[in-house]
Amino acid sequence: MKQKIEKALENVFIIENKKNIIESGIVKKIDVFKDEIRIYISLYNPTMHIKKKLEKDIYKSIKYQNIDTKKIRIKIEIQLEDKDTERKIPGIKNIIAVASGKGGVGKSTISTNISVSLMKMGFHVGLLDADIYGPSIPLMFNLEEEKVHSCIIKKNKGLYGMNPITSYGVKILSLGFFSKYGEAIVWRGPMATKALRQLIHETNWGLLDFLIVDLPPGTGDIHLSILQEISLKGIVIVSTPQKIALSDVHRSVGMFRIPSIKVPILGIIENMSFLLTKEKETKKKYYLFGKNGVKNFANEMNIFFLGEIPLLQEIREYSDLGIPVVLKNDQIKKIFEKITKNIIEKLS
Ligand code: ADP
C-alpha cells in the first residue's frame, strides 16, 4: 500500500517545481493504517492556494491508483518548514514590515517617513512597497513613470534583474512600478506572490541596514507569503484610534501571533491621534477619533506603544507633493525620530 501511495505522489507537483513532491523531499512521512493513511508534508511556503491545490492533486492521484478513498481515509498534514537561513537575504541586516488593519490609516506615509528618518540617522535603507491594492510609495517619493521604466530592468547574461530606484537617499521598489498610473492591479494571489518574490530576491538591493516592507492592509495571502518567505526582524503596526480601525488590527495581530508564523511585533504607532490646526497661536488638540484608543489597545494586547502622530494638514500636503514631510517640518521630524529610535531599541 505504501508503495502505491508513493507512486501516486510521484505524479504530484508544486507550481514551478520541476521535481515531483517525492523527489523534492517535501513528503516527510507516510503512515499506513488499516483504515487510514496519513501523509506528512513540509512546505516552505504554505499559502492557502498552494495548500488547497496540493491536497486536491494528492486526492486525485491517489484515486487514480485505484485506492478506495471511501474505505480508507486519507489525511494530509501540511507543516511549515523552518528554513531560517534560506529566508535571510544576503546583504540586508534588518527587514521590518509595516502593517495595518485597514487602508487609509497612514501606513505608507509612516513607512516613507520612517525610511527617511533612518537614512538621516546614517543608515542604508531600502523600501519595498508590497501594497498590491494601492501602491502609493512612488507618489510619495515623487517617482515619475518614465524614470521608473528606464531603470527598472537590468539585463545581465540573459537574466533579468531589478535595480531599486533611489529617491531622497532611500532605495525604492514598488509593485506600482509594474502598472500604469491609474490602472488597477488585478493580480490574483499567486501572481502577486510571484511578483513579490522577484522584487525581494531578484533585486540588487546592495548592502542595507534596513529594508522596510510596506504591506497591504489587512490579512491575506501576500502577508502569509512575505511572513514565510523572508526572515523578518519584526512588524510595526499602524492604526488610527477609533474602534473601527482597531477591530481590524486585532485580526492582524492574531495573524502575526499564529504559532507557525510568529513574527515579533515591535510595536504599534497611533496615527492621526489628534488634529493640530495651522494657526500657531492655538495649541489646542482636537481628538477627532477619540483619545488614547491605540494606547489602550496596546496595553490590552501587550504590544509596545511606539508613539503618536498628529493629524496635520502639512503631512497630507507634502505627501501629495511627493516630499517626505520629515524633510520639511521640524516638529514632525522630531516625532518620527523618536518613533524610529523606539523601533531600533525594540530590535536590540
Ligand atoms: P495607507 O497606506 O494606510 O493606505 P496613506 O499613508 O496612503 O495610508 O495615507 C492616506 C492619506 O492620509 C494620504 O493622503 C496621507 O497624506 C494622509 N495622511 C496620513 N497620515 C496623516 C496625518 N497624520 N495627517 C494628515 N494626513 C495624513
Side-chain angles (χ1 to χ4, degrees):
M1 179 60 92
K2 196 168 172 181
Q3 274 170 348
K4 253 187 170 181
I5 298 288
E6 275 177 358
K7 207 159 173 223
L9 298 184
E10 276 169 13
N11 292 317
V12 178
F13 296 82
I14 291 198
I15 326 161
E16 292 174 280
N17 195 343
K18 290 186 192 84
K19 292 179 181 170
N20 64 53
I21 60 171
I22 293 283
E23 275 178 310
S24 58
I26 65 162
V27 178
K28 297 297 173 197
K29 203 160 80 137
I30 302 169
D31 285 337
V32 178
F33 302 99
K34 212 171 94 209
D35 56 356
E36 188 176 285
I37 290 166
R38 285 190 203 152
I39 302 167
Y40 295 88
I41 288 177
S42 173
L43 268 190
Y44 173 35
N45 174 26
T47 53
M48 265 329 267
H49 57 90
I50 292 182
K51 266 187 183 174
K52 276 195 184 140
K53 184 178 180 301
L54 193 62
E55 282 171 357
K56 210 172 116 200
D57 290 354
I58 291 175
Y59 286 127
K60 219 164 97 187
S61 193
I62 287 178
K63 268 193 184 160
Y64 200 72
Q65 291 292 325
N66 286 327
I67 294 169
D68 188 352
T69 50
K70 281 200 187 95
K71 279 195 190 139
I72 300 175
R73 245 178 315 152
I74 308 287
K75 250 183 119 178
I76 303 170
E77 301 239 353
I78 301 178
Q79 286 168 339
L80 166 71
E81 184 159 356
D82 193 16
K83 281 191 179 171
D84 215 35
T85 44
E86 274 187 28
R87 300 190 303 148
K88 288 211 169 87
I89 306 174
I92 304 181
K93 283 189 194 153
N94 299 288
I95 307 177
I96 295 171
V98 181
S100 69
K102 275 203 191 304
V105 297
K107 174 180 53 59
S108 300
T109 309
I110 288 174
S111 302
T112 296
N113 288 289
I114 285 177
S115 300
V116 175
S117 302
L118 282 166
M119 182 276 296
K120 280 281 178 194
M121 289 175 184
F123 295 111
H124 296 288
V125 185
L127 174 54
L128 174 64
D129 178 9
D131 191 346
I132 175 174
Y133 307 114
S136 41
I137 296 296
L139 283 177
M140 292 190 180
F141 277 86
N142 197 20
L143 293 166
E144 336 88 69
E145 248 178 78
E146 299 82 75
K147 195 174 155 198
V148 164
H149 287 294
S150 63
C151 44
I152 199 71
I153 305 280
K154 185 188 149 214
K155 214 170 176 193
N156 180 14
K157 290 183 195 156
L159 289 171
Y160 285 95
M162 274 166 279
N163 283 327
I165 297 166
T166 303
S167 183
Y168 302 106
V170 177
K171 290 181 178 176
I172 293 160
L173 208 51
S174 167
L175 280 175
F177 290 176
F178 305 95
S179 67
K180 286 213 173 80
Y181 182 72
E183 219 173 57
I185 302 183
V186 280
W187 292 340
R188 287 182 185 279
M191 239 171 119
T193 304
K194 194 178 157 199
L196 259 182
R197 194 174 299 148
Q198 280 181 306
L199 295 195
I200 294 167
H201 295 286
E202 291 165 38
T203 294
N204 309 307
W205 288 107
L207 297 177
L208 291 183
D209 297 301
F210 291 96
L211 177 64
I212 306 294
V213 182
D214 188 8
L215 291 175
T219 53
D221 260 10
I222 297 268
H223 298 82
L224 283 179
S225 52
I226 288 198
L227 296 171
Q228 285 156 359
E229 283 213 4
I230 56 178
S231 181
L232 289 177
K233 277 283 167 68
I235 302 265
V236 168
I237 301 175
V238 176
S239 183
T240 47
Q242 73 272 44
K243 245 191 194 163
I244 295 258
L246 285 165
S247 73
D248 280 2
V249 176
H250 208 278
R251 270 184 274 276
S252 299
V253 170
M255 178 177 69
F256 301 135
R257 287 180 171 168
I258 292 174
S260 67
I261 291 177
K262 230 185 190 168
V263 46
I265 298 172
L266 301 174
I268 188 163
I269 300 171
E270 183 175 84
N271 191 24
M272 310 190 192
S273 300
F274 45 85
L275 172 77
L276 281 184
T277 52
K278 264 192 160 176
E279 294 82 45
K280 293 275 185 311
E281 64 276 10
T282 62
K283 288 238 168 91
K284 195 167 163 24
K285 297 173 177 178
Y286 298 89
Y287 291 88
L288 299 184
F289 301 129
K291 204 171 173 181
N292 291 334
V294 176
K295 222 178 237 171
N296 296 337
F297 173 83
N299 270 338
E300 270 167 41
M301 301 292 290
N302 200 16
I303 297 173
F304 185 76
F305 185 72
L306 289 163
E308 55 187 18
I309 300 164
L311 180 62
L312 196 73
Q313 193 172 329
E314 266 187 291
I315 297 183
R316 198 275 308 152
E317 281 170 353
Y318 281 117
S319 182
D320 276 357
L321 287 171
I323 306 169
V325 65
V326 288
L327 298 174
K328 292 289 180 187
N329 178 313
D330 231 36
Q331 183 194 5
I332 298 297
K333 180 183 135 191
K334 282 185 189 135
I335 291 174
F336 270 98
E337 261 173 16
K338 204 167 157 219
I339 289 175
T340 307
K341 277 182 189 154
N342 280 341
I343 294 173
I344 297 173
E345 231 165 72
K346 274 282 157 192
L347 279 175
S348 52

